[in-house]
Protein backbone atom coordinates (compact mmCIF):
# COMPACT_ATOMS: atom_id res chain seq x y z
CA UNK A 1 0.00 0.00 0.00
CA UNK A 2 1.18 3.51 -0.77
CA UNK A 3 1.75 5.78 2.21
CA UNK A 4 -0.69 8.65 2.67
CA UNK A 5 1.71 11.31 1.38
CA UNK A 6 2.62 9.28 -1.71
CA UNK A 7 -1.04 8.49 -2.38
CA UNK A 8 -1.95 12.16 -2.11
CA UNK A 9 0.78 13.14 -4.56
CA UNK A 10 -0.19 10.41 -7.02
CA UNK A 11 -3.84 11.40 -6.87
CA UNK A 12 -2.92 15.00 -7.62
CA UNK A 13 -0.89 14.00 -10.66
CA UNK A 14 -3.56 11.52 -11.75
CA UNK A 15 -6.09 14.39 -11.72
CA UNK A 16 -3.79 16.34 -14.04
CA UNK A 17 -3.61 13.39 -16.41
CA UNK A 18 -7.38 12.89 -16.37
CA UNK A 19 -7.95 16.56 -17.15
CA UNK A 20 -6.47 15.97 -20.61
CA UNK A 21 -9.31 13.63 -21.58
CA UNK A 22 -12.99 14.40 -22.19
CA UNK A 23 -15.56 13.28 -19.67
CA UNK A 24 -16.68 9.73 -20.24
CA UNK A 25 -13.32 8.69 -21.73
CA UNK A 26 -11.29 8.46 -18.55
CA UNK A 27 -10.11 4.93 -19.33
CA UNK A 28 -8.11 6.41 -22.23
CA UNK A 29 -5.75 7.79 -19.59
CA UNK A 30 -4.55 4.31 -18.64
CA UNK A 31 -1.27 4.44 -20.59
CA UNK A 32 0.08 7.61 -18.96
CA UNK A 33 -1.29 6.42 -15.62
CA UNK A 34 0.83 3.26 -15.90
CA UNK A 35 3.88 5.40 -16.58
CA UNK A 36 2.96 7.46 -13.51
CA UNK A 37 2.92 4.51 -11.12
CA UNK A 38 6.05 3.14 -12.79
CA UNK A 39 7.78 6.45 -12.02
CA UNK A 40 6.97 5.85 -8.36
CA UNK A 41 7.89 2.19 -7.98
CA UNK A 42 10.34 1.62 -10.83
CA UNK A 43 7.91 -0.88 -12.34
CA UNK A 44 4.17 -1.47 -12.53
CA UNK A 45 3.62 -2.95 -9.09
CA UNK A 46 0.53 -4.56 -7.61
CA UNK A 47 -0.10 -1.30 -5.74
CA UNK A 48 0.21 0.60 -9.03
CA UNK A 49 -2.25 -1.73 -10.72
CA UNK A 50 -4.75 -1.24 -7.87
CA UNK A 51 -4.30 2.54 -7.97
CA UNK A 52 -4.93 2.77 -11.72
CA UNK A 53 -7.95 0.49 -11.45
CA UNK A 54 -9.48 2.57 -8.67
CA UNK A 55 -8.90 5.95 -10.32
CA UNK A 56 -10.13 4.84 -13.75
CA UNK A 57 -12.93 2.57 -12.48
CA UNK A 58 -11.48 -0.48 -14.21
CA UNK A 59 -10.86 -3.97 -12.93
CA UNK A 60 -7.35 -4.95 -11.96
CA UNK A 61 -7.47 -7.57 -14.69
CA UNK A 62 -8.17 -4.91 -17.30
CA UNK A 63 -5.24 -2.82 -16.10
CA UNK A 64 -2.93 -5.84 -15.96
CA UNK A 65 -3.89 -6.84 -19.50
CA UNK A 66 -2.63 -3.50 -20.80
CA UNK A 67 0.46 -3.44 -18.59
CA UNK A 68 1.57 -6.83 -19.88
CA UNK A 69 0.95 -5.94 -23.54
CA UNK A 70 3.46 -3.08 -23.89
CA UNK A 71 7.16 -3.73 -23.30
CA UNK A 72 7.83 -0.28 -21.83
CA UNK A 73 5.85 -1.33 -18.76
CA UNK A 74 7.88 -3.57 -16.46
CA UNK A 75 6.18 -6.07 -14.15
CA UNK A 76 9.18 -6.58 -11.88
CA UNK A 77 11.69 -4.07 -10.45
CA UNK A 78 13.72 -2.44 -13.21
CA UNK A 79 17.20 -0.99 -12.97
CA UNK A 80 17.95 2.72 -12.82
CA UNK A 81 19.12 2.45 -16.41
CA UNK A 82 17.41 0.24 -18.97
CA UNK A 83 20.10 -0.60 -21.53
CA UNK A 84 18.50 -1.83 -24.75
CA UNK A 85 20.57 -3.31 -27.56
CA UNK A 86 18.99 -3.54 -31.00
CA UNK A 87 19.70 -6.89 -32.66
CA UNK A 88 17.16 -6.59 -35.46
CA UNK A 89 18.28 -7.07 -39.07
CA UNK A 90 20.29 -3.94 -39.88
CA UNK A 91 21.74 -3.34 -36.40
CA UNK A 92 22.62 -7.03 -36.15
CA UNK A 93 24.65 -7.12 -39.36
CA UNK A 94 26.30 -3.81 -38.44
CA UNK A 95 27.51 -5.19 -35.11
CA UNK A 96 24.48 -5.33 -32.81
CA UNK A 97 24.95 -9.03 -32.09
CA UNK A 98 28.57 -8.44 -31.06
CA UNK A 99 27.51 -5.56 -28.80
CA UNK A 100 24.89 -7.77 -27.15
CA UNK A 101 27.37 -10.58 -26.55
CA UNK A 102 29.94 -8.16 -25.12
CA UNK A 103 27.45 -6.59 -22.68
CA UNK A 104 25.93 -9.94 -21.74
CA UNK A 105 29.35 -11.29 -20.82
CA UNK A 106 30.56 -8.10 -19.13
CA UNK A 107 27.46 -7.64 -16.97
CA UNK A 108 26.63 -11.29 -16.43
CA UNK A 109 23.03 -10.55 -17.39
CA UNK A 110 20.60 -11.98 -19.92
CA UNK A 111 17.56 -10.42 -21.53
CA UNK A 112 15.36 -8.48 -19.08
CA UNK A 113 17.65 -9.22 -16.14
CA UNK A 114 18.80 -6.63 -13.60
CA UNK A 115 22.15 -6.30 -11.86
CA UNK A 116 22.28 -6.96 -8.11
CA UNK A 117 23.00 -3.30 -7.37
CA UNK A 118 19.81 -2.34 -9.23
CA UNK A 119 21.58 -0.03 -11.64
CA UNK A 120 21.35 -1.83 -14.98
CA UNK A 121 18.61 -3.80 -16.70
CA UNK A 122 19.76 -5.37 -19.96
CA UNK A 123 17.21 -5.74 -22.73
CA UNK A 124 17.43 -7.22 -26.20
CA UNK A 125 15.38 -5.00 -28.49
CA UNK A 126 13.86 -5.81 -31.84
CA UNK A 127 14.10 -2.31 -33.31
CA UNK A 128 14.99 1.17 -32.08
CA UNK A 129 13.65 2.85 -35.25
CA UNK A 130 17.06 4.41 -35.87
CA UNK A 131 18.43 2.30 -38.74
CA UNK A 132 20.31 5.28 -40.16
CA UNK A 133 22.59 5.13 -37.11
CA UNK A 134 23.02 1.36 -36.79
CA UNK A 135 24.06 -0.25 -34.56
CA UNK A 136 22.13 1.57 -31.86
CA UNK A 137 21.94 1.18 -28.09
CA UNK A 138 19.25 2.92 -26.05
CA UNK A 139 19.47 3.87 -22.39
CA UNK A 140 16.05 4.69 -20.95
CA UNK A 141 14.97 5.26 -24.57
CA UNK A 142 17.68 7.81 -25.32
CA UNK A 143 19.79 7.12 -28.41
CA UNK A 144 23.45 6.13 -28.49
CA UNK A 145 24.27 5.86 -32.18
CA UNK A 146 26.94 4.04 -34.20
CA UNK A 147 28.01 1.92 -31.26
CA UNK A 148 30.77 -0.65 -31.00
CA UNK A 149 31.33 -3.31 -28.34
CA UNK A 150 34.02 -1.09 -26.82
CA UNK A 151 31.87 2.06 -26.69
CA UNK A 152 28.92 0.12 -25.27
CA UNK A 153 31.09 -1.37 -22.51
CA UNK A 154 32.41 2.09 -21.64
CA UNK A 155 28.84 3.38 -21.56
CA UNK A 156 27.59 0.83 -19.01
CA UNK A 157 30.75 1.25 -16.91
CA UNK A 158 30.04 4.99 -16.70
CA UNK A 159 26.44 4.30 -15.67
CA UNK A 160 27.52 1.84 -12.98
CA UNK A 161 30.12 4.32 -11.67
CA UNK A 162 27.47 7.03 -11.42
CA UNK A 163 29.00 9.24 -14.10
CA UNK A 164 26.70 11.33 -16.28
CA UNK A 165 26.36 10.10 -19.85
CA UNK A 166 25.10 12.14 -22.78
CA UNK A 167 23.12 10.50 -25.58
CA UNK A 168 24.01 11.14 -29.20
CA UNK A 169 20.69 12.85 -29.77
CA UNK A 170 18.64 14.18 -26.89
CA UNK A 171 19.16 15.87 -23.53
CA UNK A 172 22.50 16.72 -21.99
CA UNK A 173 22.42 13.62 -19.82
CA UNK A 174 20.38 10.46 -19.47
CA UNK A 175 17.83 10.56 -16.66
CA UNK A 176 16.90 7.57 -14.53
CA UNK A 177 14.21 5.07 -15.43
CA UNK A 178 11.83 6.58 -12.87
CA UNK A 179 12.46 10.11 -14.14
CA UNK A 180 11.84 9.09 -17.74
CA UNK A 181 8.67 7.24 -16.73
CA UNK A 182 7.41 10.46 -15.15
CA UNK A 183 8.16 12.30 -18.39
CA UNK A 184 6.29 9.65 -20.39
CA UNK A 185 3.33 10.13 -18.07
CA UNK A 186 3.11 13.62 -19.57
CA UNK A 187 5.01 15.79 -17.12
CA UNK A 188 7.68 17.99 -18.72
CA UNK A 189 11.18 17.82 -17.24
CA UNK A 190 12.54 21.04 -18.73
CA UNK A 191 15.08 19.34 -21.00
CA UNK A 192 13.12 19.25 -24.24
CA UNK A 193 15.35 21.82 -25.96
CA UNK A 194 18.66 20.19 -25.08
CA UNK A 195 20.78 18.48 -27.69
CA UNK A 196 20.10 17.64 -31.34
CA UNK A 197 17.09 15.57 -32.33
CA UNK A 198 18.05 14.75 -35.91
CA UNK A 199 21.41 14.35 -37.57
CA UNK A 200 22.86 14.32 -41.08
CA UNK A 201 21.82 10.74 -42.01
CA UNK A 202 18.22 11.38 -40.99
CA UNK A 203 18.02 14.67 -42.90
CA UNK A 204 19.83 13.40 -46.02
CA UNK A 205 16.62 12.74 -47.96
CA UNK A 206 15.27 16.20 -47.17
CA UNK A 207 18.54 17.78 -48.28
CA UNK A 208 18.49 15.93 -51.60
CA UNK A 209 14.86 16.90 -52.18
CA UNK A 210 15.69 20.59 -51.69
CA UNK A 211 18.76 20.40 -53.93
CA UNK A 212 16.84 18.74 -56.76
CA UNK A 213 13.59 20.63 -56.32
CA UNK A 214 11.57 17.54 -55.52
CA UNK A 215 8.10 18.13 -54.13
CA UNK A 216 5.33 15.92 -52.84
CA UNK A 217 2.39 15.45 -55.24
CA UNK A 218 -0.70 17.46 -54.43
CA UNK A 219 -3.07 15.57 -52.14
CA UNK A 220 -6.25 14.20 -53.67
CA UNK A 221 -9.51 13.01 -52.24
CA UNK A 222 -9.51 9.74 -54.15
CA UNK A 223 -7.07 7.01 -55.03
CA UNK A 224 -6.58 8.24 -58.63
CA UNK A 225 -3.47 10.35 -59.18
CA UNK A 226 -4.33 13.93 -60.09
CA UNK A 227 -8.03 13.42 -59.56
CA UNK A 228 -10.05 15.80 -57.46
CA UNK A 229 -13.19 13.70 -57.53
CA UNK A 230 -14.60 12.86 -54.10
CA UNK A 231 -13.67 9.42 -52.85
CA UNK A 232 -16.31 6.73 -53.38
CA UNK A 233 -17.67 4.81 -50.45
CA UNK A 234 -17.01 1.10 -50.20
CA UNK A 235 -19.69 -0.69 -52.17
CA UNK A 236 -20.45 2.42 -54.21
CA UNK A 237 -20.77 2.63 -57.97
CA UNK A 238 -17.03 2.73 -58.70
CA UNK A 239 -15.64 0.95 -55.67
CA UNK A 240 -13.55 -2.18 -55.97
CA UNK A 241 -16.55 -4.15 -54.75
CA UNK A 242 -18.57 -3.10 -57.83
CA UNK A 243 -15.83 -2.67 -60.44
CA UNK A 244 -16.23 -4.94 -63.51
CA UNK A 245 -13.68 -7.71 -64.07
CA UNK A 246 -10.72 -6.54 -66.17
CA UNK A 247 -8.14 -9.33 -66.04
CA UNK A 248 -8.36 -12.74 -67.69
CA UNK A 249 -8.37 -14.45 -64.30
CA UNK A 250 -11.19 -12.25 -63.00
CA UNK A 251 -13.30 -12.84 -66.10
CA UNK A 252 -12.79 -16.61 -65.89
CA UNK A 253 -13.83 -16.50 -62.24
CA UNK A 254 -17.08 -14.77 -63.17
CA UNK A 255 -18.01 -17.43 -65.76
Amino acid sequence: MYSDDVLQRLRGEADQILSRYPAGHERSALLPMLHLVQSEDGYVSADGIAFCAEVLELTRSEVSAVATFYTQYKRHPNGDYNVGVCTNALCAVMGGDQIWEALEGHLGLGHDETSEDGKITLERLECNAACDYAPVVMVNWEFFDNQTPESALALVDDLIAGRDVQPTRGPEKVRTFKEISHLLAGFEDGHVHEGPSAGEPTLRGLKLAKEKGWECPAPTTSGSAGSTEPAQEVGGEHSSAERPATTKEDKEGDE
Side-chain angles (χ1 to χ4, degrees), residues 186-251:
F187 298 96
E188 293 292 341
D189 61 2
H191 303 290
V192 66
H193 299 297
E194 295 178 2
S197 59
E200 178 62 28
T202 304
L203 299 175
R204 180 61 178 160
L206 178 62
K207 182 179 179 181
L208 283 172
K210 288 182 177 179
E211 290 175 352
K212 297 180 179 296
W214 295 340
E215 295 182 358
C216 294
T220 63
T221 55
S222 73
S224 301
S227 171
T228 57
E229 292 293 325
Q232 298 292 325
E233 295 182 2
V234 173
E237 182 181 358
H238 298 294
S239 76
S240 59
E242 298 295 332
R243 192 177 300 129
T246 56
T247 68
K248 178 181 177 182
E249 291 78 6
D250 286 343
K251 291 177 179 178

Side-chain angles (χ1 to χ4, degrees), residues 42-125:
Y43 69 110
V44 179
S45 65
D47 288 341
I49 292 285
F51 177 76
C52 291
E54 178 187 351
V55 170
L56 300 177
E57 297 184 356
L58 299 171
T59 67
R60 296 186 186 189
S61 295
E62 288 173 319
V63 176
S64 294
V66 175
T68 55
F69 183 83
Y70 296 100
T71 58
Q72 279 189 321
Y73 302 124
K74 308 301 180 181
R75 292 310 312 274
H76 51 80
N78 204 72
D80 293 333
Y81 298 97
N82 196 88
V83 178
V85 181
C86 182
T87 56
N88 206 343
L90 184 57
C91 277
V93 300
M94 295 293 286
D97 286 341
Q98 287 78 15
I99 291 172
W100 171 262
E101 291 169 3
L103 289 178
E104 192 177 34
H106 183 63
L107 296 170
L109 300 174
H111 170 67
D112 201 28
E113 292 182 352
T114 301
S115 58
E116 291 185 3
D117 61 8
K119 289 192 174 183
I120 304 290
T121 293
L122 188 61
E123 184 176 11
R124 190 167 190 151
L125 298 177

Side-chain angles (χ1 to χ4, degrees), residues 11-26:
R11 287 190 180 280
E13 292 187 319
D15 287 342
Q16 293 181 55
I17 292 173
L18 288 171
S19 69
R20 305 169 193 156
Y21 297 86
H25 296 273
E26 289 80 4

Side-chain angles (χ1 to χ4, degrees), residues 116-170:
E116 291 185 3
D117 61 8
K119 289 192 174 183
I120 304 290
T121 293
L122 188 61
E123 184 176 11
R124 190 167 190 151
L125 298 177
E126 278 303 304
C127 184
N128 287 332
C131 301
D132 40 356
Y133 295 99
V136 173
V137 172
M138 295 189 85
V139 179
N140 294 344
W141 302 291
E142 299 289 0
F143 289 105
F144 289 81
D145 304 326
N146 301 312
Q147 291 294 290
T148 65
E150 294 74 21
S151 65
L153 291 175
L155 170 61
V156 296
D157 283 345
D158 283 341
L159 293 171
I160 292 170
R163 292 186 284 268
D164 289 343
V165 296
Q166 183 173 6
T168 311
R169 292 169 287 132

Side-chain angles (χ1 to χ4, degrees), residues 24-36:
H25 296 273
E26 289 80 4
R27 65 185 301 152
S28 297
L30 179 55
L31 297 185
M33 285 285 294
L34 287 169
H35 283 300
L36 175 64

